[in-house]
Amino acid sequence: MTNKTTKISGSEAVVKSLIAESVSTVFGYPGGAIMPVYDALYDYQEKLKHILVRHEQGATHAAQGYARVSGKVGVCIATSGPGATNLITGIADAQIDSTPMVCITGQVNSHLLGTDAFQETDVVGISMPVTKWNVQVTKAEDIAPAIAKAFYIAKSGRPGPVLVDITKDAQFGEVDFNYVKCTLISSYVPAPKVDVKKIIEAADLINTAKRPYILFGQGVLLAEAKKEFKAFIEKSGIPAAWTIMGLSALETDHPLNVGMLGMHGNYGPNLLTNECDVLIAIGMRFDDRVTGDLSGYAKQAKVIHLEIDPAEINKNVQTEIAVLGNCKESLQLLTEVVSPSTHPEWLAKFNACKQKELETVGENELTPSTDVMSMGEVIKLVSDKSTDDTIVVTDVGQHQMVTQRFYNYKSWRTNVTSGGLGTMGFCLPAAFGAKIAKPNQQVVAVIGDGGFQMTIQELGTIFQTKADIKILILNNEFLGMVRQWQQLFFDKRYSSTEMVNPDFQTIAKGYHIEANKVEKREDLANAVELFLNHKGSYLLEVMVGKENNVFPMVETGASVSEIRLS
């Protein structure tokens, strides 16, 4: 809260409000309706750094990457009309993946609203289904309160994206500026109070379980519950599997980490879901990629759900005991009352499944018998040669699933990916945002040849800012995941999935980014060493099998018990 009231323009109020919220970096693209804010930014460059992206979608994904690794609110700015609508994909991605983000858009003058003025679009109406909250501001005096409310809503409870649309006349107007942070909104309860009775009930169920099983999601990361979660699983001795958004909440090689859930997750975590007697879901939402056919999902188990959002309780899976609240608090309380235990026979079943998977899928991926390189062997090599705190950002597709299974994540908040929306093009700008948030950590962007070309223009942002990002393209000359489905379920009718790609090295060098291409296995190890140790950004393209498939796999509509290894 500032102590002095000062009369300033609405546009300057936007900038000073962001600074009051401790924002140091914003990602954006200027235009007519937001130009007053950009003019105000000019005088605050030392306090508030603006990074010019090459497309507004890139601004949202950069803000997401920034938020995901820092735990702070990501901020992006765009103009009205096409600038605002170009934000929508990233906003929708942030909404379903619970990423805190504040988007500020310019709008035409208030007297022109509804007249179809040049670059007028109802971005509030368009974004309403994919934001946690949005608002249109038409008066300068409402700017600071709107932004204060936006930050509070974006970060509190279950995080999400918020949009503030500001008319041009509000930006030009004058206001007595006195910023007051928002800490309370009537009728808005960000985190329900933990019911201790439910904690006791959950502990009683866990203490008598013979085959308990933990499924953990991003809620553990969002709650900053690293110590509490680890203490709980280690005291209870319960095997734990992760959703793709929960990855990096627990180190991959922890003895109780049994692997990845979901359609392309590990064999044991899926199969044994239907053998546990108590299922403990922590900060995850039972989406269809995890559950498969709900009619055949964990019907034998009593479900305990630790969740901050009441809307997720019983939405997809019926819960025996719902423990509402922030899981940092509920896990600490639960750990105090659960009995110390181990489940060696139950854990052995997971290990047996892991061994079976390694003998089939793992051998094909990690030690291929052909001359053609696999995605798995490339990722394993990068993992072995990377530092423990390397941040790995993935796009969407086969490479995403392979990376999350074969990369050994050892540090907190080092996995950044598009989960619920599955947005191709997410990776490159998100990796940039992650690097801005954590400049002293290595950032590796793992991308397919298809997704790379969706936001390839952000190489310009990387070049202009001299960011040090390692870009790994796993090139199979196909839209790989779609092609896999066409092979398995559409009689190999490869309709519009084969890619005729440009020369990625030439493009990278046009942006003054060093690049290399590997086509033979004997060249891979040295290429990866150079890639990771190069000072400055570097692009490494590795040619992998064109028709390699990603297994295990749970087919759409199938039960998790029907997971395929081939």
Side-chain angles (χ1 to χ4, degrees), residues 292-364:
D293 180 12
L294 281 169
S295 67
Y297 184 79
K299 293 302 180 183
Q300 80 294 337
K302 292 183 177 178
V303 177
I304 299 169
H305 198 170
L306 277 64
E307 175 60 45
I308 199 168
D309 185 356
E312 295 296 343
I313 302 298
N314 297 324
K315 187 175 82 173
N316 295 323
V317 173
Q318 289 300 303
T319 300
E320 184 85 9
I321 301 169
V323 182
L324 288 170
N326 188 306
C327 70
K328 187 177 182 72
E329 181 185 358
S330 55
L331 280 170
Q332 185 175 356
L333 293 171
L334 191 56
T335 304
E336 291 173 1
V337 291
V338 295
S339 302
S341 186
T342 57
H343 303 276
E345 292 181 5
W346 176 229
L347 188 59
K349 296 195 75 170
F350 284 94
N351 291 332
C353 288
K354 181 179 181 180
Q355 187 60 35
K356 184 176 181 180
E357 182 180 333
L358 281 173
E359 290 171 358
T360 52
V361 178
E363 287 187 4
N364 291 334

Side-chain angles (χ1 to χ4, degrees), residues 173-284:
E174 287 197 333
V175 58
D176 291 326
F177 183 77
N178 183 30
Y179 194 82
V180 180
K181 285 192 176 185
C182 180
T183 57
L184 180 70
I185 298 173
S186 178
S187 77
Y188 171 55
V189 182
K193 185 178 180 181
V194 178
D195 186 341
V196 177
K197 290 181 180 178
K198 294 294 184 182
I199 294 287
I200 299 299
E201 289 177 20
D204 288 343
L205 200 53
I206 292 167
N207 290 339
T208 57
K210 301 298 182 186
R211 298 180 306 282
Y213 183 25
I214 293 169
L215 313 181
F216 64 95
Q218 190 188 196
V220 177
L221 291 156
L222 295 173
E224 299 284 353
K226 178 181 181 179
K227 292 180 180 178
E228 292 80 5
F229 176 65
K230 197 169 185 178
F232 172 66
I233 67 164
E234 290 181 346
K235 183 178 180 181
S236 63
I238 301 173
W242 37 270
T243 68
I244 63 169
M245 299 301 293
L247 179 56
S248 80
L250 181 69
E251 53 267 31
T252 303
D253 56 6
H254 190 284
L256 290 171
N257 188 335
V258 295
M260 175 179 164
L261 297 162
M263 178 174 281
H264 287 287
N266 294 110
Y267 184 59
N270 282 291
L271 186 71
L272 297 178
T273 298
N274 284 353
E275 293 188 24
C276 67
D277 56 359
V278 173
L279 189 65
I280 306 146
I282 305 173
M284 55 87 71

Side-chain angles (χ1 to χ4, degrees), residues 111-139:
H111 74 276
L112 293 174
L113 291 172
T115 68
D116 293 332
F118 177 68
Q119 291 193 333
E120 181 199 356
T121 301
D122 180 10
V123 69
V124 171
I126 291 170
S127 65
M128 190 172 292
V130 292
T131 49
K132 189 176 177 184
W133 178 71
N134 67 12
V135 66
Q136 186 172 81
V137 178
T138 59
K139 296 179 181 178

Side-chain angles (χ1 to χ4, degrees), residues 144-178:
I147 291 176
K149 190 174 180 180
F151 273 86
Y152 176 63
I153 292 173
K155 189 71 172 71
S156 59
R158 180 179 179 174
V162 171
L163 183 139
V164 181
D165 189 47
I166 309 174
T167 61
K168 198 167 184 179
D169 51 326
Q171 296 171 51
F172 277 125
E174 287 197 333
V175 58
D176 291 326
F177 183 77
N178 183 30

Side-chain angles (χ1 to χ4, degrees), residues 93 244 394-401 417-419 421-427 446-448 450-451 479-481:
D93 194 287
I244 63 169
T394 50
D395 210 75
V396 172
Q398 289 180 316
H399 68 277
Q400 177 189 32
M401 300 296 103
T417 197
S418 172
L421 198 65
T423 305
M424 290 179 67
F426 171 88
C427 180
V446 184
I447 319 181
L479 298 176
M481 190 63 83

Side-chain angles (χ1 to χ4, degrees), residues 41-60:
L41 276 168
Y42 190 86
D43 294 324
Y44 289 88
Q45 295 176 62
E46 292 185 4
K47 291 184 178 180
L48 185 59
K49 182 179 182 181
H50 176 273
I51 293 176
L52 175 65
V53 296
R54 296 305 187 263
H55 189 285
E56 291 88 356
Q57 182 180 343
T60 57

